[in-house]
Amino acid sequence: MSTLISQCSLDLLRQAAENLKSGGLVAFPTETVYGIGADAENYEAIQRMYAVKNRPADHPVIVHIADLDAVDYWAKEIPDYAIALMRDYWPGPMTLLLHRTDKAKDFVTGNQEVVGLRMPAHTLALNLLAEFKKIGGLGVAAPSANRYGAVSPTTAEAVNAELKDYLESRDQILDGGASLVGVESTIIDCTKENPSILRPGAVTAEMIEESTGIVVMDPDDVKIRVSGSHKKHYAPNAKVLIGSAAQSGEGLIAMSDTETPSGAIRLAAPKSIEEYARALYGALREGDKQGLKTIYIEPPHGTGLAVAIRDRINRAASA
Ligand code: TXA
Ligand code: MG
């Protein structure tokens, strides 16, 4: 069993970085969700990370970087609009898909010619990446720290519950508190003339257009595989239904102004869209913990982050 570490001193982060460098797996917090990290240049470590997740080995994984210096190592032919996005929204909840250099191997890109890069906005994650860089590490490959198809973890306890049976004793789970955003990063394809969003997140289409001054296009290239874009994903064990008609003994997630039907179990009552995003995955987990068979979710209205929340709810609900 791995170690769950709650007080992350710089010494511990240094040790975690060394652990990554020698092939260990380190789960760490980011502002979106927790990731399960492996050295992006270590084939064996990444294979083991896939096994821990039970994820198909040909799926691409996001490379997390400490600073902008690492971009040219992994990516080339970077369009100006991608540079604008990096300047405006990194560190932050945004992953850019860029043409890969030969440093980004097939085992990171899922045999594709694009690499996914992200600089997370979480002090602990950034310090870990910085310590990793000091000892020669160039990127940490990290998918969300859940078993394949399951709900992404937003706390260290949730990572522990998902993965403890599969991690080895040398692996570590760093506790940095609850993730502030709560849904995964926006994935933006930057290999075309215009950006397009492959997975909505906290960096919205409006924000991309404001930063780049160009229009966001609809994704037309089905050749790029994004596993979170499979219809059934982000799903709890309970059956997820859209709406608020929860019967007695069934779960309900909805904005605070929606009333809880008598006997239904209220799993979250967020007062804002931001709070909704932060609470959603924890509420789904709580429903499973309570052994609920059915969870009703009333999706939030509106644009911005609400688009990402509706996307995840629809996937969780698709049978
Ligand atoms: O917020 C996030 O993005 C979190 C935190 C840990 O950074 N990570 C995350 O990773 O959600 P994951 O693997 O659960 O979802 C990333 C998605 C996957 O669906 C993957 O297929 C896609 O990004 N992706 C990563 N690299 C890619 C690439 N080179 N080409 C196409 N899709 C890629
Ligand atoms: Mg995931």
Side-chain angles (χ1 to χ4, degrees), residues 28-36 53 55 59-64 93-98 108-110 112-118 120 142-146 152 183-187 198-199 224-230 233-234 312:
F28 60 95
T30 82
E31 78 283 29
T32 58
V33 299
Y34 274 66
I36 172 79
K53 270 189 67 87
R55 187 190 212 189
H59 277 207
V61 64
I62 298 169
V63 177
H64 295 70
M94 176 182 80
T95 298
L96 301 183
L97 300 186
L98 298 157
V108 160
T109 70
Q112 301 176 97
E113 291 307 315
V114 294
V115 62
L117 296 182
R118 172 159 125 80
S144 52
N146 51 277
S152 299
V183 293
E184 304 80 355
S185 62
T186 309
I187 299 182
L198 300 190
R199 179 177 71 182
I224 293 189
R225 253 194 332 270
V226 179
S227 70
S229 69
H230 287 179
H233 221 87
Y234 312 109
R312 305 310 192 277

Coordinates of all heavy atoms in Angstrom, one line a residue, residues 28-36 53 55 59-64 93-98 108-110 112-118 120 142-146 152 183-187 198-199 224-230 233-234 312, ligand 1:
F28 N -0.8 13.7 -6.9 CA -0.7 15.1 -6.4 C -1.9 15.9 -6.7 O -2.7 15.6 -7.7 CB 0.6 15.7 -6.9 CG 0.6 15.9 -8.4 CD1 0.2 17.0 -9.1 CD2 1.1 14.8 -9.2 CE1 0.2 17.1 -10.5 CE2 1.1 14.9 -10.6 CZ 0.7 16.1 -11.2
P29 N -2.2 17.0 -5.9 CA -3.3 17.8 -6.1 C -3.1 18.8 -7.2 O -1.9 19.2 -7.4 CB -3.5 18.6 -4.8 CG -2.1 18.7 -4.3 CD -1.4 17.4 -4.7
T30 N -4.1 19.1 -8.0 CA -4.0 20.3 -8.9 C -5.3 21.1 -8.6 O -6.2 20.6 -7.8 CB -3.9 19.9 -10.4 OG1 -5.3 19.7 -10.9 CG2 -3.0 18.8 -10.7
E31 N -5.4 22.2 -9.2 CA -6.6 23.1 -9.0 C -7.9 22.4 -9.6 O -9.0 22.7 -9.1 CB -6.4 24.5 -9.5 CG -6.5 24.7 -11.0 CD -5.3 24.2 -11.8 OE1 -4.6 23.3 -11.4 OE2 -5.1 24.7 -12.9
T32 N -7.7 21.5 -10.6 CA -8.9 20.9 -11.2 C -9.3 19.7 -10.4 O -10.3 19.6 -9.7 CB -8.6 20.6 -12.7 OG1 -7.4 19.7 -12.7 CG2 -8.3 21.8 -13.5
V33 N -8.4 18.6 -10.5 CA -8.7 17.4 -9.8 C -7.3 16.8 -9.5 O -6.3 17.4 -9.9 CB -9.4 16.3 -10.7 CG1 -10.8 16.9 -11.1 CG2 -8.6 15.9 -12.0
Y34 N -7.2 15.7 -8.7 CA -5.9 15.1 -8.4 C -5.5 14.3 -9.6 O -6.3 13.7 -10.3 CB -6.1 14.2 -7.2 CG -5.9 15.0 -5.8 CD1 -6.8 15.9 -5.4 CD2 -4.8 14.7 -5.0 CE1 -6.7 16.6 -4.2 CE2 -4.6 15.4 -3.8 CZ -5.6 16.3 -3.4 OH -5.4 17.0 -2.2
G35 N -4.1 14.3 -9.8 CA -3.6 13.5 -10.9 C -2.7 12.4 -10.3 O -2.2 12.5 -9.1
I36 N -2.5 11.3 -11.1 CA -1.5 10.3 -10.6 C -0.3 10.4 -11.6 O -0.4 10.1 -12.8 CB -2.2 8.9 -10.6 CG1 -1.1 7.8 -10.4 CG2 -3.0 8.5 -11.9 CD1 -0.7 7.6 -9.0
K53 N -4.5 2.5 -13.1 CA -5.7 3.1 -13.5 C -6.7 2.2 -14.2 O -7.8 2.5 -14.4 CB -5.4 4.3 -14.4 CG -5.3 5.7 -13.7 CD -5.2 6.8 -14.8 CE -6.5 7.0 -15.5 NZ -7.5 7.9 -14.9
R55 N -6.3 1.7 -17.3 CA -6.7 2.4 -18.5 C -6.0 1.8 -19.7 O -4.9 1.3 -19.6 CB -6.1 3.8 -18.3 CG -6.5 4.8 -19.4 CD -5.6 6.1 -19.2 NE -6.4 7.3 -19.6 CZ -5.8 8.5 -19.7 NH1 -4.6 8.6 -19.4 NH2 -6.5 9.5 -20.1
H59 N -3.8 5.2 -24.7 CA -4.5 6.5 -24.5 C -3.4 7.5 -24.2 O -2.5 7.3 -23.4 CB -5.5 6.4 -23.4 CG -6.8 5.9 -23.8 ND1 -8.0 6.2 -23.2 CD2 -7.1 5.1 -24.9 CE1 -9.0 5.6 -23.9 NE2 -8.5 4.9 -24.9
P60 N -3.6 8.7 -24.7 CA -2.6 9.8 -24.4 C -2.8 10.3 -23.0 O -3.8 10.2 -22.4 CB -2.9 10.9 -25.5 CG -4.3 10.6 -25.8 CD -4.6 9.2 -25.7
V61 N -1.7 10.9 -22.5 CA -1.7 11.4 -21.1 C -1.1 12.9 -21.1 O -0.2 13.1 -21.9 CB -1.0 10.5 -20.2 CG1 0.4 10.3 -20.5 CG2 -1.2 10.8 -18.7
I62 N -1.7 13.7 -20.3 CA -1.2 15.1 -20.3 C 0.1 15.2 -19.6 O 0.4 14.6 -18.5 CB -2.2 16.0 -19.5 CG1 -3.6 16.0 -20.2 CG2 -1.7 17.4 -19.3 CD1 -4.7 16.6 -19.4
V63 N 1.1 15.9 -20.2 CA 2.4 16.2 -19.6 C 2.3 17.5 -18.8 O 2.0 18.6 -19.4 CB 3.5 16.3 -20.6 CG1 4.8 16.6 -20.0 CG2 3.6 14.9 -21.4
H64 N 2.5 17.4 -17.5 CA 2.5 18.6 -16.6 C 3.9 19.2 -16.5 O 4.9 18.5 -16.3 CB 2.0 18.3 -15.3 CG 0.5 17.8 -15.3 ND1 0.1 16.6 -15.8 CD2 -0.6 18.4 -14.8 CE1 -1.2 16.5 -15.7 NE2 -1.7 17.6 -15.1
P93 N -6.2 26.0 -15.4 CA -6.9 24.8 -15.8 C -7.1 24.6 -17.3 O -8.2 24.5 -17.8 CB -8.3 25.0 -15.1 CG -8.5 26.4 -15.0 CD -7.1 27.0 -14.8
M94 N -6.0 24.5 -18.0 CA -6.0 24.5 -19.4 C -4.9 23.6 -20.0 O -3.8 23.7 -19.6 CB -5.8 25.9 -19.9 CG -5.7 26.1 -21.4 SD -5.4 27.8 -22.0 CE -3.6 27.9 -21.7
T95 N -5.3 22.7 -20.8 CA -4.3 21.8 -21.5 C -4.3 22.1 -23.0 O -5.4 22.2 -23.6 CB -4.8 20.3 -21.3 OG1 -4.8 20.0 -19.9 CG2 -3.9 19.3 -22.0
L96 N -3.1 22.3 -23.5 CA -3.0 22.6 -24.9 C -2.5 21.4 -25.7 O -1.5 20.8 -25.3 CB -2.0 23.8 -25.1 CG -2.4 25.1 -24.4 CD1 -1.4 26.2 -24.7 CD2 -3.8 25.5 -24.8
L97 N -3.1 21.1 -26.8 CA -2.6 20.0 -27.7 C -1.8 20.7 -28.8 O -2.3 21.5 -29.5 CB -3.8 19.2 -28.3 CG -4.7 18.5 -27.3 CD1 -5.7 17.6 -28.0 CD2 -3.9 17.6 -26.3
L98 N -0.5 20.3 -28.8 CA 0.4 20.9 -29.8 C 1.2 19.8 -30.6 O 1.3 18.7 -30.1 CB 1.4 21.7 -29.0 CG 0.8 22.9 -28.2 CD1 1.8 23.3 -27.0 CD2 0.6 24.1 -29.1
V108 N 3.4 8.5 -24.4 CA 2.8 9.6 -23.8 C 1.7 10.2 -24.7 O 0.6 10.6 -24.2 CB 3.8 10.7 -23.5 CG1 3.2 12.1 -23.4 CG2 4.7 10.4 -22.3
T109 N 1.9 10.1 -26.0 CA 0.9 10.7 -26.9 C -0.1 9.7 -27.4 O -1.0 10.1 -28.2 CB 1.6 11.4 -28.1 OG1 2.1 10.3 -29.0 CG2 2.7 12.3 -27.7
G110 N 0.0 8.5 -27.0 CA -0.9 7.5 -27.5 C -0.8 7.3 -29.1 O -1.7 7.2 -29.8
Q112 N 0.0 9.4 -31.2 CA -0.4 10.5 -32.0 C 0.7 11.5 -32.2 O 1.6 11.6 -31.4 CB -1.7 11.1 -31.4 CG -2.8 10.1 -31.2 CD -4.0 10.6 -30.5 OE1 -5.0 11.0 -31.2 NE2 -3.9 10.7 -29.2
E113 N 0.5 12.4 -33.2 CA 1.5 13.4 -33.4 C 1.4 14.7 -32.6 O 2.1 15.7 -32.8 CB 1.5 13.8 -34.9 CG 2.0 12.7 -35.8 CD 3.4 12.1 -35.4 OE1 4.3 12.9 -35.1 OE2 3.5 10.9 -35.4
V114 N 0.4 14.6 -31.6 CA 0.2 15.8 -30.8 C 0.5 15.4 -29.3 O 0.4 14.3 -28.9 CB -1.2 16.4 -30.8 CG1 -1.5 17.0 -32.2 CG2 -2.2 15.3 -30.5
V115 N 1.0 16.4 -28.6 CA 1.3 16.2 -27.1 C 0.4 17.2 -26.4 O 0.1 18.3 -26.8 CB 2.8 16.4 -26.8 CG1 3.2 17.8 -27.1 CG2 3.1 16.0 -25.3
G116 N -0.1 16.7 -25.2 CA -0.9 17.6 -24.4 C -0.1 18.2 -23.2 O 0.5 17.4 -22.5
L117 N -0.1 19.5 -23.1 CA 0.8 20.2 -22.1 C -0.1 21.0 -21.1 O -1.1 21.6 -21.6 CB 1.8 21.1 -22.7 CG 2.9 20.5 -23.6 CD1 3.8 21.5 -24.1 CD2 3.7 19.4 -22.8
R118 N 0.3 21.0 -19.9 CA -0.5 21.8 -18.9 C 0.4 22.2 -17.7 O 1.3 21.4 -17.3 CB -1.7 21.0 -18.3 CG -2.4 21.7 -17.2 CD -3.8 21.1 -17.0 NE -4.1 20.6 -15.7 CZ -4.4 21.3 -14.6 NH1 -4.4 22.6 -14.7 NH2 -4.7 20.7 -13.5
P120 N -0.2 23.4 -14.1 CA -1.3 23.5 -13.1 C -1.1 24.7 -12.2 O 0.0 25.0 -11.8 CB -1.2 22.2 -12.4 CG 0.2 21.7 -12.5 CD 0.7 22.3 -13.8
A142 N 0.4 12.9 -16.1 CA -0.6 12.6 -15.0 C -2.0 12.7 -15.5 O -2.5 13.8 -15.9 CB -0.4 13.7 -13.9
P143 N -2.7 11.6 -15.6 CA -4.1 11.6 -15.8 C -4.8 11.8 -14.4 O -4.1 11.7 -13.4 CB -4.4 10.2 -16.3 CG -3.3 9.3 -15.7 CD -2.1 10.2 -15.5
S144 N -6.1 11.9 -14.4 CA -6.8 12.0 -13.2 C -6.6 10.7 -12.4 O -6.5 9.7 -13.0 CB -8.3 12.3 -13.5 OG -8.8 11.4 -14.4
A145 N -6.6 10.8 -11.1 CA -6.1 9.7 -10.2 C -7.3 8.8 -9.9 O -7.5 8.4 -8.7 CB -5.4 10.2 -9.0
N146 N -8.1 8.4 -10.9 CA -9.2 7.5 -10.7 C -9.0 6.3 -11.5 O -8.3 6.3 -12.5 CB -10.5 8.2 -11.0 CG -10.5 8.8 -12.4 OD1 -9.9 9.9 -12.6 ND2 -10.9 8.1 -13.4
S152 N -13.5 11.5 -11.2 CA -12.1 12.1 -10.9 C -12.1 12.4 -9.4 O -13.1 13.0 -8.9 CB -11.8 13.3 -11.7 OG -11.8 13.0 -13.1
V183 N -13.6 20.4 -11.7 CA -13.7 19.7 -13.0 C -12.4 19.8 -13.8 O -11.7 20.8 -13.6 CB -14.9 20.1 -13.8 CG1 -16.2 19.8 -13.2 CG2 -14.8 21.6 -14.2
E184 N -12.1 18.8 -14.6 CA -10.9 18.7 -15.3 C -10.6 19.9 -16.2 O -11.6 20.6 -16.7 CB -10.8 17.4 -16.1 CG -11.0 16.2 -15.3 CD -12.5 15.9 -15.0 OE1 -13.3 16.7 -15.4 OE2 -12.7 14.8 -14.5
S185 N -9.3 20.1 -16.6 CA -8.9 21.2 -17.4 C -9.6 21.2 -18.8 O -10.0 20.2 -19.3 CB -7.4 21.2 -17.6 OG -7.1 20.0 -18.3
T186 N -9.7 22.4 -19.3 CA -10.2 22.6 -20.7 C -9.1 22.1 -21.6 O -7.9 22.4 -21.4 CB -10.3 24.1 -21.0 OG1 -11.1 24.7 -20.0 CG2 -11.0 24.3 -22.4
I187 N -9.5 21.2 -22.6 CA -8.5 20.7 -23.5 C -8.7 21.4 -24.9 O -9.8 21.4 -25.4 CB -8.6 19.2 -23.7 CG1 -8.4 18.5 -22.4 CG2 -7.6 18.7 -24.8 CD1 -8.4 17.0 -22.5
L198 N -11.8 20.5 -27.1 CA -12.1 19.1 -27.1 C -12.8 18.6 -25.8 O -13.4 17.6 -25.8 CB -10.9 18.2 -27.4 CG -10.2 18.5 -28.7 CD1 -9.1 17.5 -29.0 CD2 -11.1 18.6 -29.9
R199 N -12.5 19.3 -24.7 CA -13.2 19.1 -23.4 C -13.4 20.4 -22.7 O -12.4 21.1 -22.5 CB -12.3 18.1 -22.6 CG -12.9 17.8 -21.2 CD -12.1 16.8 -20.4 NE -10.9 17.4 -19.9 CZ -9.9 16.7 -19.2 NH1 -10.1 15.5 -18.9 NH2 -8.9 17.4 -18.7
I224 N -8.3 12.8 -33.2 CA -7.7 13.0 -31.9 C -8.5 12.3 -30.9 O -9.7 12.5 -30.8 CB -7.5 14.5 -31.6 CG1 -6.5 15.1 -32.5 CG2 -7.0 14.7 -30.1 CD1 -6.0 16.5 -32.2
R225 N -7.9 11.4 -30.1 CA -8.6 10.6 -29.1 C -8.5 11.2 -27.8 O -7.4 11.5 -27.3 CB -7.9 9.2 -29.1 CG -8.7 8.1 -29.7 CD -8.2 6.7 -29.2 NE -6.8 6.7 -28.9 CZ -5.8 6.5 -29.8 NH1 -6.1 6.3 -31.0 NH2 -4.6 6.5 -29.4
V226 N -9.6 11.6 -27.2 CA -9.6 12.1 -25.9 C -10.5 11.2 -25.0 O -11.7 11.1 -25.3 CB -10.2 13.5 -25.9 CG1 -10.3 14.1 -24.5 CG2 -9.4 14.4 -26.7
S227 N -9.9 10.4 -24.1 CA -10.6 9.3 -23.5 C -11.8 9.9 -22.7 O -12.9 9.3 -22.6 CB -9.7 8.5 -22.6 OG -9.3 9.2 -21.5
G228 N -11.6 11.0 -22.1 CA -12.7 11.6 -21.3 C -13.9 12.0 -22.2 O -15.0 12.4 -21.7
S229 N -13.7 11.9 -23.5 CA -14.7 12.3 -24.4 C -15.6 11.1 -24.8 O -16.6 11.2 -25.6 CB -14.2 13.0 -25.7 OG -13.5 12.1 -26.5
H230 N -15.2 9.9 -24.4 CA -16.0 8.7 -24.6 C -17.3 9.0 -23.9 O -17.3 9.6 -22.8 CB -15.4 7.5 -24.0 CG -14.3 7.0 -24.9 ND1 -13.5 5.9 -24.6 CD2 -13.8 7.5 -26.0 CE1 -12.6 5.7 -25.5 NE2 -12.7 6.7 -26.4
H233 N -18.3 8.2 -19.0 CA -17.1 8.5 -18.3 C -17.5 9.3 -17.1 O -18.7 9.8 -17.0 CB -16.2 9.4 -19.3 CG -14.8 9.0 -19.2 ND1 -14.2 8.0 -19.9 CD2 -13.8 9.5 -18.4 CE1 -12.9 8.0 -19.6 NE2 -12.6 8.9 -18.7
Y234 N -16.6 9.5 -16.2 CA -16.9 10.4 -15.0 C -18.1 9.8 -14.3 O -18.9 10.5 -13.8 CB -17.2 11.8 -15.4 CG -16.1 12.4 -16.4 CD1 -16.4 12.7 -17.7 CD2 -14.8 12.7 -15.9 CE1 -15.5 13.2 -18.6 CE2 -13.9 13.2 -16.8 CZ -14.2 13.5 -18.1 OH -13.3 14.0 -18.9
R312 N -19.9 17.0 -18.1 CA -19.6 15.9 -17.2 C -20.9 15.2 -16.7 O -20.9 13.9 -16.6 CB -18.8 16.3 -16.0 CG -17.5 17.1 -16.3 CD -16.6 16.5 -17.3 NE -15.3 17.1 -17.3 CZ -15.0 18.2 -18.0 NH1 -15.9 18.8 -18.8 NH2 -13.8 18.7 -18.0
Ligands
TXA1 O1 -7.4 18.7 -15.2 C1 -6.9 17.8 -15.8 O2 -6.6 17.9 -17.0 C2 -6.4 16.6 -14.9 C3 -5.3 17.1 -14.0 C4 -4.7 15.9 -13.2 O3 -4.3 17.8 -14.7 N1 -6.0 15.6 -15.8 C5 -6.8 14.8 -16.6 O4 -6.2 13.8 -17.2 O5 -8.0 15.1 -16.6 P1 -7.0 12.6 -17.9 O6 -6.0 11.7 -18.5 O7 -7.9 12.1 -17.0 O8 -7.8 13.4 -19.1 C6 -7.0 14.0 -20.0 C7 -7.6 13.9 -21.4 C8 -7.7 12.4 -21.8 O9 -9.0 12.2 -22.2 C9 -6.7 12.3 -22.9 O10 -7.2 11.4 -23.9 C10 -6.5 13.7 -23.4 O11 -6.7 14.5 -22.3 N2 -5.2 13.9 -24.0 C11 -4.0 14.0 -23.3 N3 -3.0 14.1 -24.1 C12 -3.5 14.1 -25.4 C13 -3.0 14.1 -26.6 N4 -1.6 14.1 -26.8 N5 -3.8 14.0 -27.7 C14 -5.1 14.0 -27.5 N6 -5.7 13.9 -26.3 C15 -4.9 14.0 -25.2

